[in-house]
Amino acid sequence: MFDRRNFLKSSTLLAGGLWLSPNLIQARNKIAPSDKVRVALFGGKNMGFNILKHHLALPEVECVALCDIDQNILDSRIKEVEEITGKKPDRFTDFRKLLERTDIDAVIIGTPDHWHCLIAVAACQAGKDVYVEKPMANSIGECDLMAQAASKYDRIMQVGQQQRSGQTFIESRDLVKSGYLGKIRKVNIWSNFNYGLGNLIAPPTSVPTGVDYDFWLGPAPKRDFNPNRFHGSWRHFWDYGGGLMSDWGVHLLDMAIWVEQNPVAPAKVLTYANNVDMENRDRDTFDTMNVLFPKKDFLINYDMNGGLQTGPYGKPYGIAYVGEQGTLVVNRSGYEIYPEWDPEAKAPKIESKKLEGAKESHNLHVANFVDCIKTRNQPICPPEAGRIAALHAHIPNIAARVGAEELVWDDTKREFVGNAAANELIWPSYREPWVLPKV
């Protein structure tokens, strides 16, 4: 049974950097070997390692292995884990070799998006539970494969859409679904971030020492090494990611989908996309997008602007649930309700409510995953939820890439209606010797 009090204590130690606190070490030492959860990490550069640290804040979790194609990162992260836990994890550069280990309960996938599917399906087939960063995969078809694999092999799979575990979004969802705002007419979403422009154009360089670049490319097309397509900025190229739309969009769109009565993939998507700022910029993805999702319950309106940092209600990003009684505006720092005015009663139609100073929720999302590993309960963001959220990002990206203002998606047949060019982008083309996994 998940012990929330001990978890919160551990998380406090984590936040303060007190990894080797006697309290945490003593808590770890008290865990029987049979009760330990042994994890391995694929991709240690950024978010993957942060997620691993949240795992290690739980006393029952032990990291037994790390895998990366960059020896520099691998050396650094192995040292950090050893300092944190007192135990040195084993090192791997090939995910397939790591998955042969029989003493691993779960894996964390923090690689670029184009690797999610291959590793996740192989992990499920090897009997490992999976925590995979969002978006679930880099294509619609790969999301399907991952969901099928989790089901067929009876694996726990948590998609890293951690806002589902955060107080501010849970309370917002409950307020919306309770009817407090009245009937919801639309959900307005905006995300404005400078990094959405991508990096300035840079020439190709030699591959950094210690990097197995061909393995990093994996199933993606062969290309000369360029730092703009590598650590951090890879997401601006279709071969590896989906830009700002799939990076932030999938998080925020998930919060609109979450309040639907019966969340489903979008049946119709209306998209406007452009690259307004292309001067000296190195990217495939779009810096400016507006997308309409006409849903059964309400309209979702998504507005994205790479290179900008301001937005409605003084927030660079956020969600506004627009109801007949009032509008609830929320982002990761909190929420506030703006009531509608009743001219007859000369008073607000509802009371305003506010939550400020909310904390980030990666730790709680990880704790939910670890608890589900032990109980075999469904996690808060299971594969189908991850798939649906990813489709809300992938379909507009596909529409923009093929120049279609409107796309109709048949989720039963898993195809676009009447658009052959869009259907060509449902599945990626893997570079040999890599092949799409079979489930």
Side-chain angles (χ1 to χ4, degrees):
M1 183 65 68
F2 171 57
D3 188 331
R4 182 178 177 84
R5 182 174 62 181
N6 284 337
F7 166 69
L8 292 174
K9 184 187 296 183
S10 300
S11 297
T12 301
L13 294 171
L14 168 61
L18 302 177
W19 291 100
L20 294 179
S21 161
N23 288 340
L24 189 52
I25 291 176
Q26 289 172 13
R28 283 200 180 104
N29 291 337
K30 291 178 181 178
I31 303 296
S34 59
D35 292 331
K36 288 188 176 182
V37 176
R38 296 170 179 83
V39 303
L41 169 65
F42 298 102
K45 173 64 176 174
N46 290 316
M47 187 55 71
F49 193 69
N50 289 333
I51 295 300
L52 174 62
K53 289 193 291 186
H54 287 299
H55 279 77
L56 293 178
L58 299 166
E60 67 267 49
V61 175
E62 178 181 334
C63 177
V64 298
L66 296 179
C67 183
D68 205 292
I69 54 80
D70 188 332
Q71 299 286 349
N72 308 292
I73 290 173
L74 200 51
D75 290 341
S76 173
R77 296 315 194 194
I78 287 174
K79 182 179 178 181
E80 288 183 66
V81 171
E82 186 175 15
E83 290 173 349
I84 289 166
T85 66
K87 294 184 178 180
K88 185 177 182 178
D90 292 334
R91 65 185 296 128
F92 290 85
T93 56
D94 188 326
F95 75 96
R96 296 165 295 189
K97 294 294 184 182
L98 189 155
L99 290 175
E100 292 175 1
R101 291 272 294 261
T102 59
D103 61 340
I104 293 172
D105 302 303
V107 300
I108 303 161
I109 302 175
T111 64
D113 301 348
H114 71 292
W115 269 109
H116 288 187
C117 180
L118 271 170
I119 298 175
V121 172
C124 290
Q125 291 169 335
K128 322 299 185 191
D129 294 325
V130 176
Y131 186 110
V132 59
E133 259 306 306
K134 58 76 211 166
M136 189 174 179
N138 199 36
S139 70
I140 292 173
E142 289 173 309
C143 290
D144 243 348
L145 282 177
M146 291 168 65
Q148 291 169 23
S151 176
K152 179 176 179 178
Y153 300 105
D154 195 23
R155 293 295 91 201
I156 300 298
M157 184 178 288
Q158 175 88 296
V159 182
Q161 289 158 206
Q162 76 280 355
Q163 290 173 165
R164 287 178 171 240
S165 295
Q167 177 189 4
T168 183
F169 290 101
I170 291 172
E171 289 190 16
S172 296
R173 177 204 59 183
D174 291 347
L175 283 164
V176 171
K177 298 197 77 168
S178 72
Y180 186 76
L181 301 176
K183 178 176 174 53
I184 300 298
R185 292 188 177 184
K186 64 177 69 171
V187 180
N188 292 326
I189 303 172
W190 64 99
S191 59
N192 301 332
F193 294 96
N194 277 334
Y195 82 92
L197 287 180
N199 289 347
L200 295 174
I201 292 173
T205 67
S206 59
V207 177
T209 302
V211 171
D212 186 341
Y213 179 57
D214 189 68
F215 209 130
W216 184 91
L217 286 172
K222 181 72 173 178
R223 292 183 181 273
D224 292 337
F225 181 84
N226 190 302
N228 280 348
R229 304 177 73 94
F230 196 45
H231 289 324
S233 53
W234 51 262
R235 69 181 73 256
H236 297 296
F237 299 90
W238 301 125
D239 290 341
Y240 330 115
L244 187 54
M245 184 68 189
S246 67
D247 191 36
W248 263 95
V250 74
H251 273 309
L252 301 175
L253 288 160
D254 185 42
M255 294 298 94
I257 302 160
W258 209 22
V259 301
E260 289 187 80
Q261 291 299 318
N262 296 293
V264 294
K268 179 187 291 187
V269 176
L270 308 173
T271 304
Y272 165 84
N274 195 12
N275 271 315
V276 176
D277 185 349
M278 279 300 290
E279 185 178 359
N280 298 321
R281 294 290 173 179
D282 193 6
R283 66 170 184 271
D284 295 336
T285 57
F286 299 97
D287 62 28
T288 305
M289 293 184 76
N290 274 74
V291 187
L292 295 179
F293 303 87
K295 306 300 288 286
K296 180 180 179 181
D297 298 336
F298 42 71
L299 173 71
I300 300 175
N301 175 30
Y302 181 78
D303 182 8
M304 183 194 90
N305 298 282
L308 303 183
Q309 289 285 98
T310 60
Y313 302 92
K315 303 177 188 301
Y317 73 94
I319 305 167
Y321 301 96
V322 182
E324 294 183 336
Q325 304 295 315
T327 296
L328 188 157
V329 177
V330 58
N331 67 12
R332 292 179 182 179
S333 63
Y335 66 78
E336 183 172 0
I337 291 177
Y338 297 83
E340 288 294 315
W341 183 257
D342 187 333
E344 295 184 2
K346 294 183 172 53
K349 291 185 177 181
I350 53 176
E351 283 187 40
S352 179
K353 296 179 184 290
K354 181 186 289 190
L355 174 68
E356 296 178 308
K359 305 297 183 183
E360 74 95 22
S361 50
H362 280 105
N363 55 351
L364 299 174
H365 207 55
V366 166
N368 172 253
F369 173 59
V370 173
D371 188 43
C372 291
I373 290 173
K374 294 184 286 185
T375 64
R376 311 314 291 175
N377 291 332
Q378 178 173 273
I380 198 167
C381 192
E384 182 61 9
R387 184 188 77 87
I388 290 173
L391 262 62
H392 280 74
H394 288 320
I395 291 176
N397 271 341
I398 289 172
R401 292 173 70 181
V402 302
E405 293 182 358
E406 176 180 305
L407 275 181
V408 177
W409 173 253
D410 187 328
D411 201 45
T412 301
K413 295 181 178 179
R414 299 296 206 263
E415 65 181 26
F416 293 104
V417 177
N419 194 311
N423 283 324
E424 288 294 318
L425 296 177
I426 292 174
W427 294 94
S429 296
Y430 277 18
R431 179 174 66 108
E432 293 183 349
W434 301 102
V435 295
L436 275 165
K438 291 181 170 57
V439 177

